[in-house]
Amino acid sequence: MSHLKDKTVMVTGASSGFGLACAKAFAQKGCKVIAAARRKERLQDLKEELKQELGEDRVFVLPLDVTSEEQVDSMFNAIPEEFSDIDILVNNAGLALGLEPAHQADLTDWNRMVDTNIKGLYLMTRKVLPGMVERKSGHVINIGSIAGTYAYPGGNAYGATKAFVKQFSRNLRADLLGTQVRVTNIEPGLAETEFSLVRFHGNQEKADNIYKGTNPLTADDIAESVLWAAEQPQHVNINSIELMPTSQTWAALAIDKVLG
């Protein structure tokens, strides 16, 4: 039996993609799961699906916009007592919007990425962390991206937000020394979820072209990495996991050749 059994896990962005896969994976390991996201109907579907599969109700649905400081501050009032001591926080809520060069990018897209990928992540962390420190037990798992390390055209603000996730995770580790609270940053490469559909504002053709001819990572691949990091013995902290599909690697440095 996994030592994760009966631990309480909160997953943000749990209505689709990585978050949905993580919520399922932890529930299947016997965890109590707080599934948080804006789309309540999808969360309810997840709750019913797992109840039928597992024969018991292990999911608490929490409609939540992580960018709202007011909602994050008040969220614990909605959580039942049996779910209130959060052992593992999976900061998954995030998105990319647009692929235009910086001088053509939509500032609305930039602002939304900063609000979700940065502000939402630190608001949730700051809310949950004091309880973990007090209990001298806990694990913060942040979903970053290889975009936080490797630049690519059009990645401008998105890559910068994921660089924040990388450095914030490292600084959390420094702050939490001696508390027994662990921190992990998961950094996926090309993965097929609703990610590109959101990035291109619902343009299915554009989204499909990103994955055409590739064999990308799946949401389940990412959930397995998250679960593996969480299942390590208490004295082991997985600082980061960087994973790409075999069909993806680093690009050559770009050079603009000006011919006279």
Side-chain angles (χ1 to χ4, degrees), residues 130-177:
M132 292 182 173
V133 172
E134 183 179 350
R135 295 187 300 273
K136 286 193 171 295
S137 176
H139 198 168
V140 177
I141 302 177
N142 296 324
I143 305 298
S145 168
I146 62 166
T149 302
Y150 310 108
Y152 61 88
N156 39 69
Y158 173 70
T161 66
K162 291 304 184 177
F164 170 87
V165 176
K166 176 192 287 287
Q167 197 62 20
F168 186 63
S169 300
R170 290 173 171 175
N171 284 319
L172 281 178
R173 283 277 290 129
D175 285 346
L176 294 169
L177 181 66

Side-chain angles (χ1 to χ4, degrees), residues 1-10 22-33 58 85-90 137-141 182 223-234 236:
M1 183 66 67
S2 169
H3 74 271
L4 291 177
K5 181 173 169 54
D6 294 327
K7 287 189 178 294
T8 300
V9 183
M10 172 178 274
C22 287
K24 288 182 178 180
F26 278 110
Q28 289 161 351
K29 283 289 184 177
C31 297
K32 295 178 290 185
V33 175
R58 304 197 67 83
D85 289 341
I86 297 168
D87 299 295
I88 300 169
L89 170 64
V90 182
S137 176
H139 198 168
V140 177
I141 302 177
R182 301 187 292 174
E224 276 196 36
S225 297
V226 170
L227 203 61
W228 180 79
E231 283 189 306
Q232 296 309 299
Q234 176 60 39
V236 177

